[in-house]
Amino acid sequence: MNAASLPDDFPRLPTRDPESHKGDFGRVLIIGGSRGMSGAAALAGMAALRAGAGLVKIASADCCLDTVAAFEPSYMTIGLPHDDTGRIHGDARQAIEDLAASQTSIGCGPGLGRSESLDGLIVWMYQTLSLPIVFDADALNALSAHRDALASPGGPRVLTPHPGEFRRLTGDQAADLDQQQRQAVELARQCGVTIVLKGHRTLVTNGSDQYHNATGNPGMATGGSGDVLTGLIATLLAQQFSPYDAARLGVYLHGRAGDLAAEQLGQTSLIASDLVRFLPAATRDQAN
């Protein structure tokens, strides 16, 4: 699929006003990263920048902050309290609340890790913060441990599970893909959220509308690919797209970047940072 084959009502990136400034394009906060998984948060932050965010901050466990910062000089980094294993501690609640007050959207989950206090922090964010938030990876696993919280979002929410994460969200370990897609529509409707069920022909649904994405290829089945998508959708939310439009444009651009990368590099050698590298071409292609 290319831009020429998109329906007329498909969301597109707007043309930028010559008089615009960085504050016009959203302030994205990425929350994630832990000892040994700092690259995941960095990938989300780099994707947010390449997707057009005006300002990007990554809030990560203080012990891995230097590693996160070393990947890219164009985003800012903020250290959060961490536990003995190098994961963000539940005591970070006040720091995150203070940070969120000046942001436009949040992407949460890449490289986060799991702990009881961290799970509690994720549930608090989901139910309390009014900003649009993308929940991915271990943030989804935290919500899976507290499924009763899913029906109480504190603001616009986009959940981006792969099939395994979705089984944990629903508690139905036996569901096949067709069942999962029906469950995703129903869960989105019941909880008032947008769900991106990742995979071949990724499904995006808000419970009433559905979109099956046609971009992407098997080379994107590699570690870090979902982190790139998190930063991408978070940026589109920051630029005032609705959760449903941000999600379907995000998965389209993500897959298109993967297709452009595969054309040059092949599918076998594709890695997540290639998606970030080809996002500019995907966004340029989308505008044509």
Side-chain angles (χ1 to χ4, degrees):
M1 174 183 277
N2 55 39
S5 61
L6 290 172
D8 291 340
D9 64 348
F10 196 81
R12 294 176 184 267
L13 295 170
T15 301
R16 295 196 167 192
D17 189 318
E19 299 299 325
S20 59
H21 57 82
K22 60 188 177 185
D24 294 329
F25 303 114
R27 298 178 299 278
V28 177
L29 175 64
I30 302 296
I31 299 175
S34 57
R35 187 179 296 139
M37 294 191 291
S38 56
L43 281 167
M46 290 188 289
L49 288 166
R50 286 300 189 185
L55 291 164
V56 176
K57 293 181 179 179
I58 299 180
S60 189
D62 187 68
C63 61
C64 62
L65 200 64
D66 289 347
T67 304
V68 174
F71 280 97
E72 172 56 55
S74 302
Y75 52 58
M76 294 169 279
T77 54
I78 299 96
L80 296 175
H82 61 88
D83 61 20
D84 292 340
T85 64
R87 297 174 296 222
I88 296 170
H89 197 280
D91 291 343
R93 181 176 298 190
Q94 187 59 56
I96 290 174
E97 188 171 21
D98 292 344
L99 281 169
S102 61
Q103 303 305 299
T104 319
S105 71
I106 296 174
C108 180
L112 198 64
R114 295 285 305 281
S115 72
E116 184 175 345
S117 74
L118 189 47
D119 282 4
L121 178 67
I122 298 305
V123 172
W124 168 80
M125 288 177 56
Y126 183 90
Q127 294 186 309
T128 304
L129 296 182
S130 61
L131 287 177
I133 306 178
V134 184
F135 288 88
D136 184 40
D138 277 327
L140 291 173
N141 292 327
L143 292 172
S144 298
H146 302 271
R147 288 197 293 270
D148 56 329
L150 289 172
S152 304
R157 303 291 183 251
V158 178
L159 312 183
T160 60
H162 58 57
E165 290 165 340
F166 188 76
R167 290 189 184 96
R168 289 190 283 275
L169 276 176
T170 62
D172 185 353
Q173 296 299 319
D176 61 23
L177 182 58
D178 288 341
Q179 290 172 315
Q180 284 193 332
Q181 290 185 346
R182 291 192 294 270
Q183 291 171 344
V185 174
E186 182 60 19
L187 185 63
R189 186 191 64 79
Q190 289 179 349
C191 298
V193 301
T194 294
I195 294 178
V196 177
L197 182 57
K198 296 184 291 194
H200 180 60
R201 297 292 187 261
T202 289
L203 169 69
V204 178
T205 180
N206 58 8
S208 57
D209 302 306
Q210 298 177 48
Y211 166 70
H212 288 269
N213 187 53
T215 60
N217 61 81
M220 297 171 66
T222 184
S225 180
D227 304 320
V228 174
L229 182 62
T230 296
L232 179 49
I233 296 177
T235 294
L236 296 172
L237 288 171
Q239 294 177 354
Q240 309 306 312
F241 285 92
S242 70
Y244 179 66
D245 281 350
R248 58 182 179 148
L249 178 56
V251 298
Y252 167 80
L253 291 172
H254 184 251
R256 182 61 179 153
D259 289 340
L260 292 169
E263 287 175 9
Q264 290 196 25
L265 307 174
Q267 294 182 9
T268 301
S269 297
L270 195 64
I271 60 175
S273 58
D274 295 326
L275 303 179
V276 176
R277 189 155 58 92
F278 280 86
L279 265 177
T283 57
R284 185 175 63 245
D285 175 69
Q286 180 266 347
N288 294 329

